[in-house]
Amino acid sequence: MNITVIYDSIYGNTARVASAIAAALEPDNSVRLMPVQQARQADLGTTNLLIVGSPTRGFRPTPQISDLLAGLAPPSAAAEVAVFDTRLAPAAVRPGALRWVVEVGGYAASRMDEILHRRGYVRRGEIAGFLVDGMKGPLKPGEVERAAEWARSLV
Ligand SMILES: Cc1cc2nc3c(=O)[nH]c(=O)nc-3n(C[C@H](O)[C@H](O)[C@H](O)COP(=O)(O)O)c2cc1C
């Protein structure tokens, strides 16, 4: 399968997850891993599975990821998408009284899923969110492994 993993990352956590996802898929697939800045020039015509990841910032994906998704060509018949984000672990939301705001506000991956669905893409697998322990990370222990497992569940 031809897989393209596109991600944005400000502090490096989503990049780490994206690399783990690509590494988990590489043995049996042809995988390209690229930051969103490179993705504009990329030809996605032969991609069967497009995996997109973004940090959650203000309940949504980064503007760069949103722009990319809005500008994507309509999917070819064989193309599916999977989405993931990184987000604050509930215990890392301070003060704790804001936890419900963060939950109700929502997360980047569901927004990406909505945009892609509207553009005609079919989702493969579950929407995934990987947890960080603070505004700049790090990822919670075990999240890199969970990302690799999620990736393997997609194929
Ligand atoms: C300006 C800003 C807004 C954020 N908004 C949210 C949010 O709405 N929900 C959430 O769970 N985490 C939020 N976070 C935490 C980010 O999700 C976290 O910085 C991100 O997962 C780190 O990914 P990166 O290292 O790839 O940039 C925010 C962080 C920043 C700096």
Side-chain angles (χ1 to χ4, degrees):
M1 189 180 276
N2 275 331
I3 300 175
T4 305
V5 184
I6 296 174
Y7 66 92
D8 198 5
S9 185
I10 289 91
Y11 302 121
N13 300 281
T14 316
R16 227 179 127 209
V17 171
S19 301
I21 288 168
L25 295 170
E26 253 152 24
D28 300 315
N29 302 281
S30 164
V31 182
R32 289 187 298 173
L33 171 67
M34 59 180 82
V36 66
Q37 293 81 1
Q38 267 176 36
R40 290 188 175 287
Q41 288 83 45
D43 177 5
L44 300 178
T46 57
T47 294
N48 311 119
L49 176 62
L50 172 63
I51 304 179
V52 188
S54 174
T56 302
R57 292 182 65 115
F59 318 126
R60 1 184 95 63
T62 64
Q64 288 77 6
I65 288 284
S66 296
D67 286 355
L68 178 90
L69 299 186
L72 275 184
S76 70
E80 291 182 325
V81 289
V83 289
F84 71 93
D85 64 39
T86 56
R87 55 179 76 174
L88 279 171
V93 178
R94 302 265 155 64
L98 286 180
R99 255 165 233 165
W100 72 271
V101 179
V102 172
E103 254 186 68
V104 171
Y107 299 99
S110 334
R111 298 260 187 277
M112 296 190 288
D113 182 54
E114 283 162 19
I115 298 172
L116 287 163
H117 180 73
R118 276 204 300 274
R119 297 194 60 83
Y121 280 83
V122 171
R123 175 158 54 83
R124 188 182 264 243
E126 296 302 315
I127 293 173
F130 300 101
L131 303 177
V132 296
D133 263 334
M135 288 299 260
K136 297 185 177 181
L139 286 160
K140 273 184 87 71
E143 291 300 83
V144 169
E145 293 75 12
R146 198 162 71 80
E149 254 171 55
W150 176 75
R152 285 190 286 267
S153 79
L154 298 174
V155 292

